[in-house]
């Protein structure tokens, strides 16, 4: 028994018929197909001759499907949909990779860089899981994590330093008015914006050599990114990782107040299971490392 299909009509004619049946107008069908109206009419006449039936009634101002045309178009559309799905199934599907990050890292560092990555790597489909909870590589389906801390992070995990924690004080250029506070007392005239890390007491003691007093007024946020946005809006001074505010400084939304920077007890690392060695994962790791390297070079230039 042969699996070969029965005699098929002109597939080009069938496609033209489907478009013409949708519009019930040869001119509109021709515009969609990018051919002349005469070419559409010729294809339909050829298909009708091949099938031995009339598919359209040619009315003065429009077309109408005949009974045979209405019956034929239903099966034709189903057949074309099957062909379209089969064709799509042959196309390579994007490789999905899940990256776990903190919300602040995602919004202030990763997301602004994603357009460049997606333009260069259309075969990779990134899923960003932004959470303060430490994700599990198995249970959460995470391929790569950006973690703030110190290694080791666990057995069987590969680790690469992304960038070091360097905390700097920044604010809106409108807030300072050209006058930088020289003492802790002068700093107390400003609102200090805090995040969950609460680096201000240590920063004040290191920079001014004084223990912070209760006179300091402040606003607290549970996310660093929110504290940074408040600083951009002119609501106070924030301590933030220099990498998170580099673009805001470069574009004039924030200014650095003090030359001094405070190193942190933790840094940002890329972490992934050693057994995962896909090309897509290595591409993402290399891209993130390269972006961090370029930022360090810009900071030194």
């Amino acid at each position: 028994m042969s699996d070969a299909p029965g005699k098929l009509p002109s597939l080009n004619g069938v496609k033209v018929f489907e478009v013409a049946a949708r519009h019930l107008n040869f001119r509109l069908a021709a515009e969609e197909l990018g051919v002349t109206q005469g070419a559409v009419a010729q294809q339909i006449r050829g298909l009708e001759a091949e099938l031995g039936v009339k598919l359209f009634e040619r009315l003065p101002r429009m077309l109408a499907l005949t009974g045979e045309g209405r019956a034929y178009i239903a099966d034709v559309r189903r057949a074309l949909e099957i062909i379209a799905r089969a064709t799509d199934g042959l196309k390579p599907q994007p490789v999905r990779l899940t990256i776990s990050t903190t919300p602040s890292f995602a919004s202030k560092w990763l997301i602004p860089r994603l357009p460049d990555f997606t333009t260069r790597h259309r075969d990779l489909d990134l899923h960003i899981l932004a959470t303060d909870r430490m994700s599990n590589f198995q249970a959460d389906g995470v391929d790569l994590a950006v973690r703030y801390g110190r290694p080791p992070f666990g057995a069987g995990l590969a680790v690469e330093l992304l960038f070091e924690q360097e905390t700097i004080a920044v604010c809106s250029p409108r807030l300072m008015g050209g006058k930088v506070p020289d003492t802790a007392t002068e700093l107390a005239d400003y609102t200090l914006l805090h995040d969950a890390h609460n680096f201000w007491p240590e920063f004040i003691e290191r920079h001014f050599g004084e223990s912070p007093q209760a006179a300091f007024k402040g606003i607290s946020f549970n996310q660093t990114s929110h504290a940074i946005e408040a600083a951009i809006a002119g609501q106070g001074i924030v301590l933030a990782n220099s990498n998170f505010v580099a673009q805001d400084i470069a574009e004039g939304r924030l200014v650095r107040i003090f030359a001094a920077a405070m190193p942190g007890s933790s840094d940002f690392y890329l972490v992934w299971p050693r057994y995962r060695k896909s090309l897509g994962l290595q591409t993402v790791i290399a891209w993130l490392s390269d972006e961090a390297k370029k930022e360090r070079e810009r900071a030194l230039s």
Side-chain angles (χ1 to χ4, degrees):
M1 180 177 176
S2 173
D3 291 332
K7 182 172 173 18
L8 295 175
S10 163
L11 294 183
N12 194 39
V14 169
K15 173 61 179 173
V16 173
F17 167 62
E18 190 280 327
V19 177
R22 242 188 305 120
H23 292 289
L24 292 176
N25 185 295
F26 285 170
R27 179 181 60 80
L28 294 178
E31 289 178 2
E32 179 177 328
L33 294 166
V35 297
T36 65
Q37 184 173 335
V40 171
Q42 184 179 358
Q43 285 286 345
I44 297 300
R45 284 195 300 270
L47 182 62
E48 288 175 327
E50 190 175 359
L51 298 175
V53 297
K54 192 175 181 181
L55 299 172
F56 290 103
E57 294 286 355
R58 277 74 164 174
L59 304 176
R61 294 184 177 276
M62 61 178 293
L63 296 173
L65 286 165
T66 63
E68 293 85 355
R70 286 194 298 273
Y72 193 47
I73 192 59
D75 287 336
V76 162
R77 282 184 176 144
R78 280 195 293 271
L80 291 176
E81 286 170 2
I82 291 171
I83 293 172
R85 285 198 301 271
T87 303
D88 286 340
L90 293 175
K91 296 177 182 176
Q93 298 301 308
V95 176
R96 181 184 172 94
L97 287 167
T98 298
I99 304 176
S100 172
T101 80
T102 64
S104 294
F105 179 89
S107 63
K108 298 305 297 182
W109 197 88
L110 180 58
I111 291 174
R113 291 168 166 77
L114 285 180
D116 171 65
F117 179 84
T118 54
T119 298
R120 289 194 287 156
H121 302 285
R122 298 187 182 278
D123 58 328
L124 294 178
D125 181 11
L126 295 186
H127 174 60
I128 310 302
L129 182 61
T131 175
D132 285 319
R133 179 178 61 84
M134 186 173 290
S135 299
N136 184 285
F137 287 102
Q138 283 73 38
D140 298 322
V142 172
D143 299 289
L144 176 68
V146 179
R147 289 189 177 167
Y148 177 68
R150 288 286 186 192
F153 291 103
L157 296 178
V159 176
E160 181 178 317
L161 176 66
L162 186 61
F163 51 74
E164 296 176 343
Q165 170 76 336
E166 181 190 56
T167 302
I168 62 174
V170 293
C171 69
S172 166
R174 303 189 306 273
L175 190 67
M176 284 288 103
K179 178 69 172 70
V180 176
D182 293 323
T183 65
T185 302
E186 290 180 2
L187 183 65
D189 292 334
Y190 299 90
T191 298
L192 305 185
L193 304 174
H194 299 263
D195 62 10
H197 301 294
N198 194 28
F199 288 136
W200 272 115
E202 182 183 356
F203 187 90
I204 292 170
E205 188 168 2
R206 282 185 178 222
H207 187 73
F208 295 108
E210 303 178 32
S211 297
Q213 303 299 316
F216 286 95
K217 57 184 179 292
I219 305 174
S220 296
F221 301 85
N222 70 327
Q223 296 291 340
T224 303
S225 58
H226 296 164
I228 294 171
E229 291 304 316
I232 292 172
Q235 295 177 17
I237 305 171
V238 68
L239 291 177
N241 185 288
S242 58
N243 295 276
F244 288 1
V245 294
Q247 186 171 353
D248 293 313
I249 293 174
E251 296 176 2
R253 290 185 290 272
L254 292 172
V255 292
R256 184 169 177 170
I257 303 173
F258 309 114
M262 186 174 74
S265 58
S266 297
D267 298 313
F268 288 86
Y269 290 86
L270 299 177
V271 184
W272 68 97
R274 291 187 184 278
Y275 64 84
R276 294 188 188 169
K277 297 182 179 180
S278 70
L279 179 60
L281 177 60
Q282 294 305 314
T283 298
V284 174
I285 292 170
W287 171 70
L288 290 170
S289 299
D290 186 55
E291 287 296 309
K293 179 182 177 182
K294 286 191 291 188
E295 187 164 86
R296 287 194 297 272
E297 291 172 348
R298 282 195 296 268
L300 293 173
S301 63

